[in-house]
Amino acid sequence: MAVDVNSYDAWFRAKVQAALEEECTGTSQVQVMQAAQALIDAKREVEPKS
């Protein structure tokens, strides 16, 4: 499969730029870490201690 490197580069750069300009709120790193910690804590409460 032949690929035009310049066309692919332009397409890829446009996709990256569009993603950078997107204004979605997403999930913050703090929210992700809090959810992960809650899962860890819940797992510790359920499992018997060794």
Side-chain angles (χ1 to χ4, degrees), residues 26-46:
T27 304
S28 73
Q29 190 265 346
V30 171
Q31 290 171 312
V32 171
M33 294 306 292
Q34 288 173 340
Q37 190 62 55
L39 287 172
I40 292 167
D41 294 343
K43 183 82 170 164
R44 285 186 178 151
E45 290 175 8
V46 173

Side-chain angles (χ1 to χ4, degrees), residues 6-21:
N6 292 329
S7 293
Y8 177 79
D9 186 62
W11 171 82
F12 185 79
R13 288 175 184 272
K15 289 289 188 178
V16 170
Q17 189 61 42
L20 290 172
E21 292 172 354

